[in-house]
Structures are given as structure tokens and as C-alpha cells.
Amino acid sequence: MSEAVSTASRSIDKAAIRAKYAQERDKRVRADGNDQYIEIKDQWGHYLEDPYTPVAQREPVRDHVTVAFIGGGFSGLVSGARLVEAGVTDVRILEKGGDFGGTWYWNRYPGAQCDTAAFVYMPLLEETGHMPSEKYAHAPEILEQCQRIGNQYNLYDNALFHTQVQELSWQEDTNRWLIKTDRGDEFTAQFVGMGPGPLHIPKLPGIAGIESFTGHSFHTSRWDYNYTGGDPSGAPLDKLAGKRVAIIGTGATSVQCIPHLAKACEKLYVCQRTPSSVDVRGNHDIDPEWFKAIATPGWQQRWLENFTANQTGQPIEEDLVQDGWTDLSKRVRSKISQLDPKDMTLENMMAAYEDSDIEKMEEIRARVNTVVEDPATAEDLKAWYQQLCKRPCFHDDYLKAYNEPACELVDTNGQGVERITQTGVVVAGVEYEVDCIIYASGFEVGTPFERRSGYDTLGRDGLKLSEYWADGMRTLHGTHINGFPNLFMVQATQGANLISNYPHNLTECGTTIAMIVKHALDNGHQTLEVSAQAEQAWLDLLSNAPPMMIGSTDCTPGYYNNEGKGWGDGKGVVAANGYPAGPVAYFEYLKGWRSSGNFEGIDFS
Ligand code: NDP
């Protein structure tokens, strides 16, 4: 095994890089893990208020629907669309936001855009006939696509917005779910879908003194355009002229909004604990003629499958998507393919992966020097970890923002902001006075599922889902849960576990549940439920899965690795294993499973 990696210009000492990665990680590991963050409730509750849509008064709903779906993001929309296609016309989507969109309803910060090519990221493009205007569409266009789906499939008719489920319980006597909400609704549904979304509960950093700040503040997922001026389409944030602003956090959200802030504020302090890796973006408008040529029947499914195959190391003839993610996997594949067949051991393949990663990260670090004028700032912006330790970012204006005279990087040497005072933020004993603090501090991931959902689910005999999952998530396909009949979860874990294009998981799952519901309705079945044996057999199968590419405790802490603690207990809904043969094989398997008409493992009655 070689201990040096060659890039175009030089040979790199792998041992030195590994040591630097470990040193940077160790600096950041902290005992409190997820508890370092403040849960937004009670005195902090105003950080969750909807700045975009006034809450409309309405009468509580008391009726029955065939399917209720909790969550109006991509999961609810694709599942709802597929159910409507299957002939179920009374799907009711419940959504805590004021419209459809989920993450794209809330995240309207300036510069928000998808990081995976829009052709595979945006759902149901072919069904709705929409051509993304850019390779990486901006948030307003993605939100419009959500609304387009809602309109095309009449999902608005039955939807309840600004509505949070408070109770979800199985009624044994009627074979229905009872749903109660914070708007006084109390209705039943034969089937319930849940689209929990991986990142929907904002969190605040637990920085000493945070409550004492008397200036303005908000979380990026509730952007206050009344305060900043501008709009989600990128109009200048004109009200920030003359304002001193601190933004706390430098994850994927910050990378996208900092270029806009840096141009608008009198002074912008970017408080950094860990730098993001920021690779080339290369966004461009889409040529309608080109699109016409590629958008032949079945095009989006072909693109989805091509992306996923490419991403997961399967042979493909052509990389249709060509984005930062596919580049990453092509590089790894190329490195591994250089191994002599007789040296193709797991150890050598992992070493080839590491070589590829070091080369890529060296490129990303070198890029910082070519863009950022101040050498000390450039040094502080370099990410010292493997690329998949944290969410990879792609942007062409982020690093340039640090050349703006107003923009100052306040690096915290991995320790975070020390204190917040009435008037500013303190880092390494220096106070930076500001008018506004923007919390780009991310979302809850490793906290209990029922806390993030806002309710526990009561299945047969009052069994709580939190209790059933006390020793880890238990499902068939990540979707069906024994003891919880007529219930579906639309998410990635214990299924494909595909993280680089999350919506692909959701469309496959939505298609599947629509077929099962149709089967039950067509055959007059009242209930369907995965058997305990089928669920256990699935878990046994998943226990053979290779280790996940993300989540290692060797990585610097973040939500990928449960803030440095890892997912060893298997309790995280982001963390459990996926299908051992990988996403391509899983989607193939799932297609066969649902198309057979048997739905093996599910008992209908
Ligand atoms: P993240 O969780 O990625 O980032 C939170 C940031 O806050 C980190 O930089 C973190 O530092 C920092 N932080 C936390 N506490 C402190 C503290 N006490 N002092 C200083 N800094 C602190 O949240 P994001 O909203 O940026 O992104 C979340 C996810 O949302 C992304 O990973 C991505 O999956 C998704 N997203 C997707 C986008 C897209 O597809 N276009 C765009 C934006 C987000 P540290 O790293 O040290 O913990």
C-alpha cells in the first residue's frame, strides 16, 4: 500500500494528511454532542414562526379520508401524485408550513439552490412538463415545482396548511387511524403516510449568553426579508446597508447566502467553527433546444437511474448528469480501476478511495488560494477532513465573498463562538459588535424521531413507535412497520439509503405505496401490515450491509456522524443500514417486489 499520493504537481504524504485530519477532528469533538444545541421551543419559539404566509383561520376538520399524508414536502407531493394517478382522489396532506414545499417552503434564504443537478433533484419534471431553467435551479423555481405538482394533482383541495399533527393513533375497532392536530382537527384515515424529511427542525447553537442579545436575529430557514430587504430571487438585500451582521455557521446554507450578505452589509462577520469543502459549481442556463432533444419519453427516470448508478460505482455508458457528485464517484472508480486485478482487495480498494479523496481535497484546498486574496483568510477556509465527512459544497462565489471589503472571516479555531453579549459575538476574547445575528446553525438530526415529528405514533394496543424503536429502527424497506398497520414512511433509511439525490428514494417509495394502497382498495382489504417475520428477515438482510460511506467517528463532528458520537446504537433514522447490494439493486428489487402484485411480507386482511 503506497503512503504517498501523486497529484499533477507534487507528491503528498498521506500520513501527514491523516495526522492533520485527526488533529483538526480532535479539536472539535465535544462531550455534549447534540446537547450543545438549543431546541427551539418555549422562549425560543418565535424563531420558528412563519415569516412567509399569514396563518388563515379555518374551522377544524372532522371527517374521513382514504389517505392522510403528514408532510407537504417532496415525500407528500410525490406520494400524493402517485396516489391520485392510482385513482385515490381524497388524499389529505397535512403540512406545518403555509404551502407545499417542505424544505423549499422554509429555506428561502438568498442564493438558495439545489446542489444536485435539477434534472434529477426536482421531482416529477416529466409528469409536469417542466424544464429546469438552470442546471442547479434556485429555490423559487423548486418551490414553484412543488406548487405545480400540488395544482396538477389537485392536492390543494384537501390539504391542511399551518397544521401540526399532535396525535396519531390506530383505532382497532374501525381499522382506521385517528389524527388530531394543533388546529383542533380530529379526523380518520384508512391509510397514513409520513414524509418526515431529514432536516426540518431548525436548531440554535447553545452559545453562552445567546438569550442576552438585544439586536435582531433569525435562523436562515425563516429568513427575515422585512429586515434585510431583497427577496428569494436574489434582489439586493438593500436594508442591510449600514448594518453590521454576524452569521454563525459555515455549512451548505451559509455557503449559498454569504455571497449575497457580503455585498449588502456594511460589515459581515462570518463566524466559522469548521470550514466547508467548496468545490466548483459551474451553473448555467438550460438551452430549450438541448432539453427538447434529451426529454424523450421516460427521460427523467433514465437520468435518475444513470445518476444513481454512477454515484454508487455501477458501470454506465455515459454520465448524463455530470455534476459535482458524479465527478466524485468517477474519480474513485477510476482510481480503483487502476488496481491490478490481483490486487483488488478491500484494503487496496479503500486505499485507492483514500488516494482519490486526498487528491480531490488537495484540489479544493488549492482552489482557496487561487480565489481568496488574503493568505491568512485563505488558510482558515481550508477544510481538513475527507470530503464525505461533511456535506460537500459547490459554489463559484462563496470564496470570492471574502475579497469583499465588508466581509471578515472570524475563525474560531474549531471552538465555536465563545459568547454572545447584548451587543455582539465574542470569539477568542474579542467582541464583534453587530446589529443582527443570523443563525446558520442547521437542523436537528440525531435527536429522537418523535421529538422531531412533534408526536409519537400509537399503533396496535397503544404501542408507541418510540418504544417499538427503542433499540433501533425496525421496518421493511424503511416503509412498513409491524404493529403499525396501514402506515407508510417515505424516506431513505433501511431502503436505498441514497443520500446524494434524496428525492430518488422518495419517488420510488411514493410509487410503491400508491401501488399497495390501490391493491388493498381494489381487493376490499381493510388493513395491510408487514409481518413480524418479514420485518426481521429484512433487518437480518440489512445487517450484512457494508459500512456506510458517511458517519465515521474518525470524521470531524457534524450531523453526518451524530456530532462525533457515531450511530453505533443504530437509533438514528438517518443512520441504520441500507440494502447491502446498494441503491441500484435496491430500486431494481423494489420494482420487482411491487410489480409482482404479491407484496411479499405484507399481510392483507
Ligand atoms: P449545517 O448543520 O451543515 O451547518 C451548521 C453550521 O453551524 C456548521 O458550520 C457548524 O459548525 C456551525 N455551528 C454550530 N454551532 C456553532 C457554534 N457554537 N459556533 C460557531 N458555529 C457553529 O447546517 P446548514 O443549514 O448549513 O446545512 C444543513 C444541510 O441542509 C446541509 O448539509 C444539506 O444537506 C442541506 N442543504 C442543502 C442545500 C442544497 O441542496 N442546496 C443547501 C443548504 C443546505 P460545525 O461544522 O463545526 O459543526
Side-chain angles (χ1 to χ4, degrees):
M1 206 163 75
S2 149
E3 278 308 299
V5 184
S6 294
T7 67
S9 54
R10 64 193 178 101
S11 175
I12 301 158
D13 178 353
K14 271 168 70 166
I17 298 252
R18 282 190 205 124
K20 172 77 174 161
Y21 286 3
Q23 183 195 1
E24 292 294 328
R25 169 197 170 276
D26 292 349
K27 232 189 240 179
R28 291 171 171 83
V29 171
R30 35 193 290 172
D32 51 2
N34 282 305
D35 293 339
Q36 70 181 283
Y37 289 100
I38 294 173
E39 181 181 5
I40 305 188
K41 61 177 189 183
D42 306 329
Q43 70 175 114
W44 308 101
H46 59 281
Y47 282 98
L48 286 183
E49 281 168 16
D50 182 349
Y52 313 123
T53 315
V55 178
Q57 291 309 310
R58 65 169 176 80
E59 290 301 310
V61 168
R62 297 193 195 285
D63 59 4
H64 174 76
V65 291
T66 306
V67 182
F69 200 99
I70 303 168
F74 282 0
S75 297
L77 289 166
V78 295
S79 304
R82 292 290 183 246
L83 283 159
V84 170
E85 285 169 352
V88 184
T89 50
D90 62 338
V91 179
R92 170 170 293 147
I93 295 180
L94 297 114
E95 166 54 49
K96 66 185 171 189
D99 197 346
F100 291 129
T103 218
W104 297 101
Y105 175 81
W106 295 110
N107 287 282
R108 302 183 187 201
Y109 57 82
Q113 69 183 138
C114 57
D115 268 348
T116 308
F119 292 96
V120 290
Y121 184 79
M122 288 170 74
L124 307 188
L125 286 174
E126 190 166 353
E127 289 83 344
T128 53
H130 180 69
M131 176 194 88
S133 64
E134 302 172 278
K135 180 160 184 176
Y136 303 95
H138 278 79
E141 183 171 342
I142 305 175
L143 180 56
E144 272 172 33
Q145 175 66 5
C146 294
Q147 293 161 339
R148 189 174 293 115
I149 296 169
N151 281 314
Q152 181 165 321
Y153 292 92
N154 299 321
L155 297 171
Y156 278 100
D157 294 353
N158 239 337
L160 299 177
F161 295 116
H162 281 142
T163 300
Q164 298 215 33
V165 172
Q166 289 186 321
E167 216 179 293
L168 176 62
S169 52
W170 177 249
Q171 309 296 299
E172 200 71 52
D173 48 344
T174 54
N175 287 329
R176 290 174 169 185
W177 285 98
L178 175 66
I179 297 149
K180 295 186 186 174
T181 77
D182 64 344
R183 302 295 295 270
D185 306 309
E186 210 172 307
F187 66 97
T188 54
Q190 186 177 353
F191 303 96
V192 169
M194 299 201 272
L199 297 152
H200 66 114
I201 304 288
K203 63 188 191 212
L204 293 173
I207 299 169
I210 182 170
E211 70 291 341
S212 59
F213 184 62
T214 53
H216 196 68
S217 62
F218 57 89
H219 188 275
T220 47
S221 66
R222 304 289 188 276
W223 195 272
D224 188 352
Y225 282 104
N226 279 335
Y227 181 83
T228 64
D231 64 30
S233 304
L237 306 169
D238 53 352
K239 292 190 189 169
L240 290 180
K243 293 276 196 305
R244 299 156 304 169
V245 175
I247 184 162
I248 297 183
T250 48
T253 297
S254 262
V255 164
Q256 294 185 334
C257 67
I258 281 172
H260 295 259
L261 290 167
K263 285 199 185 85
C265 302
E266 177 188 299
K267 187 76 203 174
L268 176 67
Y269 298 109
V270 179
C271 302
Q272 171 180 271
R273 189 165 68 179
T274 309
S276 278
S277 72
V278 186
D279 204 353
V280 174
R281 154 102 307 164
N283 195 17
H284 58 77
D285 289 346
I286 298 304
D287 172 4
E289 287 306 312
W290 171 85
F291 182 70
K292 217 189 275 171
I294 67 127
T296 52
W299 77 266
Q300 196 177 27
Q301 190 62 25
R302 274 199 305 281
W303 276 57
L304 283 168
E305 288 171 9
N306 180 270
F307 177 90
T308 300
N310 196 352
Q311 259 290 262
T312 53
Q314 305 296 309
I316 48 159
E317 280 176 16
E318 187 191 355
D319 175 5
L320 295 173
V321 179
Q322 299 198 32
D323 70 357
W325 298 95
T326 64
D327 174 59
L328 209 143
S329 44
K330 275 189 294 191
R331 282 163 170 270
V332 174
R333 205 164 40 231
S334 147
K335 266 277 180 264
I336 291 176
S337 69
Q338 287 164 27
L339 288 173
D340 197 293
K342 71 174 172 14
D343 295 330
M344 213 47 103
T345 60
L346 182 62
E347 191 191 14
N348 285 342
M349 280 159 59
M350 293 308 287
Y353 172 81
E354 188 188 23
D355 287 355
S356 159
D357 190 79
I358 290 177
E359 277 179 21
K360 179 82 236 176
M361 289 303 287
E362 284 289 288
E363 268 178 40
I364 289 173
R365 289 187 281 265
R367 179 173 182 245
V368 183
N369 291 100
T370 65
V371 181
V372 178
E373 287 159 8
D374 175 53
T377 303
E379 217 39 50
D380 286 341
L381 285 166
K382 291 180 183 170
W384 292 101
Y385 44 78
Q386 287 202 343
Q387 197 179 17
L388 292 183
C389 277
K390 285 202 168 258
R391 167 64 146 66
C393 297
F394 310 92
H395 211 285
D396 292 338
D397 294 323
Y398 173 69
L399 295 170
K400 282 185 202 158
Y402 293 93
N403 298 335
E404 294 284 344
C407 183
E408 181 174 337
L409 180 68
V410 181
D411 183 61
T412 66
N413 192 26
Q415 302 310 297
V417 171
E418 183 180 306
R419 205 154 32 90
I420 292 180
T421 65
Q422 281 191 351
T423 49
V425 296
V426 179
V427 173
V430 178
E431 179 169 6
Y432 299 83
E433 288 201 352
V434 292
D435 304 295
C436 175
I437 299 178
I438 301 175
Y439 295 108
S441 42
F443 302 86
E444 291 191 19
V445 174
T447 52
F449 180 63
E450 65 280 7
R451 163 168 150 179
R452 282 177 285 129
S453 305
Y455 58 91
D456 211 340
T457 304
L458 303 181
R460 284 196 198 281
D461 304 321
L463 176 64
K464 286 184 178 164
L465 186 57
S466 58
E467 282 168 10
Y468 189 58
W469 282 0
D471 294 325
M473 187 175 169
R474 299 182 61 84
T475 68
L476 170 73
H477 304 163
T479 303
H480 314 274
I481 309 165
N482 177 249
F484 296 80
N486 294 11
L487 182 77
F488 312 104
M489 280 185 63
V490 178
Q491 54 86 51
T493 306
Q494 293 192 343
N497 276 28
L498 177 68
I499 58 149
S500 47
N501 188 27
Y502 204 80
H504 192 175
N505 303 283
L506 308 180
T507 38
E508 289 296 335
C509 194
T511 302
T512 308
I513 68 172
M515 288 175 77
I516 298 181
V517 167
K518 181 171 164 42
H519 177 82
L521 293 175
D522 286 352
N523 292 285
H525 298 305
Q526 292 298 304
T527 64
L528 61 95
E529 181 180 356
V530 59
S531 68
Q533 295 84 337
E535 186 181 86
Q536 187 56 48
W538 185 250
L539 297 176
D540 292 344
L541 176 75
L542 300 193
S543 67
N544 299 318
M548 289 197 301
M549 292 304 282
I550 65 162
S552 164
T553 47
D554 291 340
C555 282
T556 192
Y559 77 82
Y560 271 20
N561 69 355
N562 200 19
E563 299 301 332
K565 293 191 181 299
W567 299 104
D569 62 6
K571 290 183 188 173
V573 176
V574 282
N577 279 353
Y579 193 60
V584 171
Y586 175 75
F587 291 139
E588 221 15 69
Y589 154 80
L590 188 66
K591 196 170 160 192
W593 184 83
R594 67 185 176 224
S595 310
S596 72
N598 296 331
F599 305 103
E600 198 184 333
I602 303 287
D603 296 332
F604 293 87
S605 60

